[in-house]
Structures are given as structure tokens and as C-alpha cells.
Amino acid sequence: MTNIILDTDSYKHSHYLQYPKGTTIVNSYIESRGGVHERTLFFGLQAWMLKTLNTPVTLEDVDNAAWICNQHGVPFNRAGWEHVVHEHGGLLPLLIEAVPEGSLVGTSNVLVQVRNTDPAAFWLTSFIETSLLRAIWYPTTVATNSYYAKQVMLDYLQRTSDNDPEPIAQFMLHDFGARGVSSEESAALGGLAHLVNFRGTDTISALLAAKQYYREPMAAYSVPAAEHSTMTSWTQEGEGAAYANMLSQFKGSNIISIVADSYDIYGAIEHHFGGDLKDQVLENAEAGSRLVVRPDSGDPVETPIRVIRLLMQKFGAEVNSKGYRVLPDYVRVLQGDGITPALIGTALGRMEEEGLSAENIVFGMGSGLLQQVNRDSQQFAMKCSAIKVNGEWRDVFKEPKTDLAKQSKRGVLALQRTSDGYQTVRKDSAVGTDELQPVYRDGQILVTENLEAVRHRADGLRAAGVTVAA
């Protein structure tokens, strides 16, 4: 949809008639009021600005919206939208301020603040809530879940591996979510949010979004991998031949991922990978190829642990300096079925109990990564906090006695750093630097960053001491 006049809720079209007479400015903000995590990794505003705010509203858009609203039974602010077209070239007279993308901000803090710059367009601030809030809550929630999953992985790697955790962790959670989301746009935006933290994906739409919106030529990588149809088409009697074909076709590839549970994954390891195909696996290792065995059914915690143990019986294992067993570098396990962010910690915890290093395994996640989130996961909201009426500012807030968790902030806001992180204050009482940066004003996008800069900011958070308890 390119007509932002229609990218809203129906009732928004009647709101221009509901503000106090003399209103000239409406100031609103977006925050995560709480949720699963105590902090959110902010991401996605730039993509929305480039996609939405760079497209001017036209008189044809106004005419189309007027017809739809008339037929739909809601008022239409034709004069207001024609003013935007004639006076502003169809570009929105707004000021948007935001914390830099990739910042980890405690909940109950302002992330984005927006207000109109043309007194005649006071109604516009709240009008864009639907589009803007959706553009923030979804990628920020995915990026946050992905970020905390990575922190869990880094913590377990730190305890159970001799190797540098960061390069390993970057490829420990692979995105398989493209088919599990409600739209291609969700796959692109959610998949891109995941790539703030990781470098592995099968969601090609995310790569295109990274290139289009964040100037990243190649944001992530994938490998030759089997699916059940390509394995079972050889029939059960030809199971070993199917695996042999994979090892032959992709010999020399850095990684060869083979789903091996079509019939009996334990038998596949016993009789094929560690049996009649063992020499081929070792030849591939000499050619630089790593075999990744993928269970895709059974208990998502206990099954991969048993697979790792069987592979160790067949290919051996080393005990590292921290006392944990590690498969040879040319063999690993991928658990991509039934994984959720919470389950990753459970699985790595069980592996630690069993004396197995976290570097033996990588994870894949589909709908649990990109689809099983909603606006309430981090309790996102956009609220008006101040308006200017007849030249004077008024605080605007809600404070429902039935749910004080939904009380909103008052005044024009600023975000300041403290020794404990961030704190939201009134702008008129702020001391020092306001972390909210102007990113859009009157049709001009003022700040654009590449994905590398966003990643660098997010990666620096761990160095600053942000960790997650196992």
C-alpha cells in the first residue's frame, strides 16, 4: 500500500474534528511499557521512513481516500490533506526524533517522539500512529528476542568453549521463518531485524530489505541443505545413497546440512554417517566441508543431545580446557524443529549438564522467531503526551484507575543516559544530551545508517556489560 491516507484505522479519519479549538501542535511518543524482556533493541524506523515517507501524497491519493471514507461511513479531512499536497508537496510536515537504531533501551522509556511542524496539520501526528507503531513494534520485538537469544549463546560459549564466542555465535541461530509468517513484508522486516544480531538466514527477502533500506550488499549467508523430499525421493532403501549424493554433490562447500530423521536418525548415524559413509565424510573434511546432521522431530532438547553423543562415538571428541567435550570441527548438529527463544537456553543448559560444549550445536528457528510475537510481547504503545493550544503547552496523559500500568507520560520528552542506562525526562527539565535524535523533518530524512553501523552499536552492548543469566 502506497497511500498513507488509507494506511490507518478508520476512526483516525474523524479525529481531526475532536481536538480542542486552537490546537496547533500535537506531540506523541512510542515506548515499550514492559513485556518479556526488560530492555528492547530498537530497530526498523529507517526502513519505514524510506519506504513510506519518501512517497509524496498526491491529489489522486486524496480523491481515492475521500471516496473510500465516504462509502465507508467516516468523515474525511479533504481540506487538511489538500493542504499537505499544495503547501508541502505531499510530504508530511512532521518532526520525528528517535534513539539510534541498535540501541538497547530499558522498557518504559521513550524510543520515538513525533509532532507536527505545520500548525494546520496538528491532526497528522496521531493519524500516522497505525503505520508508525506497526513499523516499530514488530522489528524491534524480533530484534530484541534475537538479541537475548544471542546473549544466552554467548554466555554458554564463554563457559564451555575455548574459542572466541562471538564468531561462533553469529551463526548459531539461523532464520527459517519465511514460510511461517503472514506476509512477504513480514519476512523481509522481521528477517532483517534478526540480522542485526546474526549472520545466517534462509529468508532471502531479508537480504533484499537490508540492501534496500540499510545499504548492506550481503547481510547473511546460507549453505546447501537437504529437505525431506530430496531425501525420501530416494526411498528408504536408498537412504544411504541420498546422503552419499549430498556429500558428493557439495564436496568442498564449507557446510553441508543433511536432514536425517526421515526414518531413524539414530540408525542414520550408526549405519551411514558413522558407518558406510564415514570415509566419505572424512574425505569431505579434507576438502574443507563440515557435515551438519539435522534432526527434525522428537524432543527438541533431548534428541539433539543424543545425536551429538552418537556422533562422538563414531567420530570421536576432544575435551577442551574447560572440561567440555567437542566434536571434530568437521561434524556438527543443527536443531531447527520446535525451537523458541526460551528453549535455546534450556537446550544449552542441558548440554552443559551433560558435559557438552555449546559449540557442538547450532539452531534454526522459523515462526518462533518471526511470527510468534505481537504488540503485547513488549507492550508497545504510542500515546499523545502534550499539545499546544492557543499558544500554550498542555500536558496530555491517561491514568486509568483500573490499570495503572497503562498510565502514559506527560509533556514533550527527552531521553538521557544515566549510570543505570536510560531515563525519560521532560525536555524542559533535561540536563545534558538528549539521546533522541531528529531523524525526519518536513519531508527530509535526516539520518540514515548502514546495517554495519547498527550491528556495531548492538554488538557494543555486550562489551558494556549487558548479559543474560543462564
Side-chain angles (χ1 to χ4, degrees):
M1 180 180 292
T2 58
N3 188 349
I4 196 171
I5 309 176
L6 298 173
D7 188 11
T8 192
D9 296 302
S10 301
Y11 78 149
K12 291 287 188 183
H13 286 284
S14 68
H15 290 176
Y16 76 102
L17 299 169
Q18 299 179 32
Y19 287 96
K21 186 178 181 180
T23 298
T24 55
I25 301 178
V26 174
N27 185 91
S28 296
Y29 71 97
I30 292 175
E31 70 173 329
S32 164
R33 294 185 291 206
V36 177
H37 301 293
E38 294 181 350
R39 297 179 177 90
T40 56
L41 187 69
F42 179 64
F43 182 71
L45 177 59
Q46 180 170 304
W48 179 79
M49 291 192 301
L50 289 169
K51 178 184 177 184
T52 303
L53 298 185
N54 269 351
T55 304
V57 175
T58 66
L59 288 177
E60 183 181 3
D61 293 331
V62 176
D63 288 340
N64 288 338
W67 185 89
I68 288 175
C69 288
N70 180 63
Q71 297 297 310
H72 187 44
V74 294
F76 182 69
N77 186 9
R78 177 180 282 276
W81 283 108
E82 287 185 347
H83 176 83
V84 170
V85 173
H86 293 311
E87 297 300 322
H88 299 281
L91 299 172
L92 303 189
L94 294 171
L95 170 65
I96 301 176
E97 303 168 306
V99 68
E101 297 197 27
S103 299
L104 192 71
V105 181
T107 57
S108 299
N109 278 302
V110 56
L111 297 170
V112 179
Q113 185 165 241
V114 55
R115 56 184 171 273
N116 60 292
T117 57
D118 181 344
F122 64 88
W123 47 271
L124 187 57
T125 301
S126 181
F127 188 89
I128 66 166
E129 174 188 355
T130 306
S131 183
L132 176 58
L133 183 59
R134 183 178 59 226
I136 297 303
W137 80 253
Y138 175 62
T140 297
T141 301
V142 173
T144 300
N145 284 342
S146 173
Y147 171 82
Y148 277 102
K150 185 177 180 182
Q151 304 319 300
V152 171
M153 293 171 176
L154 287 168
D155 287 341
Y156 278 104
L157 286 168
Q158 190 71 46
R159 292 204 298 270
T160 68
S161 171
D162 284 342
N163 297 310
D164 183 1
E166 181 62 31
I168 299 173
Q170 286 184 356
F171 293 94
M172 276 188 73
L173 182 56
H174 199 87
D175 172 16
F176 294 137
R179 73 187 62 181
V181 292
S182 57
S183 69
E184 190 273 340
E185 184 179 25
S186 295
L189 194 57
L192 175 55
H194 171 66
L195 296 182
V196 172
N197 306 295
F198 291 91
R199 305 296 188 272
T201 189
D202 262 36
T203 301
I204 292 177
S205 297
L207 306 179
L208 304 181
K211 186 174 182 179
Q212 181 175 359
Y213 300 126
Y214 290 87
R215 304 191 301 274
E216 176 55 54
M218 181 47 60
Y221 305 93
S222 189
V223 301
E227 70 173 21
H228 286 105
S229 73
T230 62
M231 297 296 94
T232 56
S233 61
W234 292 72
T235 74
Q236 186 169 359
E237 290 71 22
E239 181 183 15
Y243 301 151
N245 180 65
M246 285 288 297
L247 294 171
S248 174
Q249 292 285 2
F250 303 110
K251 182 177 182 180
S253 296
N254 184 39
I255 291 173
I256 305 170
S257 176
I258 303 180
V259 62
D261 74 323
S262 297
Y263 310 107
D264 176 7
I265 191 167
Y266 308 124
I269 296 169
E270 177 71 29
H271 303 299
H272 298 305
F273 297 123
D276 53 28
L277 298 178
K278 185 173 181 178
D279 287 344
Q280 193 174 357
V281 171
L282 296 176
E283 289 174 8
N284 276 27
E286 290 292 327
S289 294
R290 170 185 285 177
L291 168 65
V292 174
V293 178
R294 177 180 150 212
D296 199 47
S297 55
D299 187 287
V301 173
E302 299 303 326
T303 299
I305 289 176
R306 184 175 174 186
V307 169
I308 291 169
R309 285 183 170 280
L310 286 173
L311 288 170
M312 286 179 171
Q313 290 176 14
K314 295 298 180 178
F315 294 97
E318 292 185 359
V319 177
N320 63 26
S321 68
K322 297 176 181 177
Y324 294 91
R325 285 177 293 162
V326 186
L327 281 163
D329 190 58
Y330 56 83
V331 183
R332 289 292 183 270
V333 173
L334 166 61
Q335 178 61 38
D337 177 61
I339 294 298
T340 64
L343 201 63
I344 290 173
T346 301
L348 293 177
R350 281 284 296 117
M351 287 177 61
E352 184 179 38
E353 291 173 0
E354 295 291 320
L356 304 173
S357 172
E359 66 179 290
N360 290 301
I361 195 169
V362 293
F363 298 93
M365 199 185 308
S367 62
L369 178 66
L370 303 188
Q371 185 72 13
Q372 294 176 24
V373 296
N374 56 52
R375 185 164 69 93
D376 291 330
S377 299
Q378 287 299 135
Q379 299 174 24
F380 269 91
M382 177 170 166
K383 297 298 176 186
C384 177
S385 60
I387 64 171
K388 201 171 196 178
V389 182
N390 296 323
E392 294 186 0
W393 281 103
R394 293 181 184 175
D395 286 353
V396 178
F397 65 96
K398 58 181 283 189
E399 196 173 74
K401 291 183 179 180
T402 51
D403 189 356
L404 290 179
K406 289 190 173 183
Q407 62 184 321
S408 60
K409 293 174 169 51
R410 312 178 188 197
V412 178
L413 305 173
L415 184 68
Q416 296 193 308
R417 285 187 180 272
T418 71
S419 58
D420 297 323
Y422 290 94
Q423 181 181 13
T424 299
V425 298
R426 297 178 66 101
K427 196 172 187 70
D428 54 19
S429 64
V431 177
T433 303
D434 184 357
E435 299 296 324
L436 295 179
Q437 302 177 0
V439 295
Y440 175 90
R441 182 186 287 112
D442 298 336
Q444 302 257 335
I445 297 175
L446 305 176
V447 176
T448 59
E449 294 188 300
N450 57 30
L451 186 61
E452 182 181 359
V454 178
R455 284 170 161 173
H456 181 73
R457 188 173 293 118
D459 287 343
L461 298 174
R462 184 169 180 85
V466 178
T467 59
V468 178

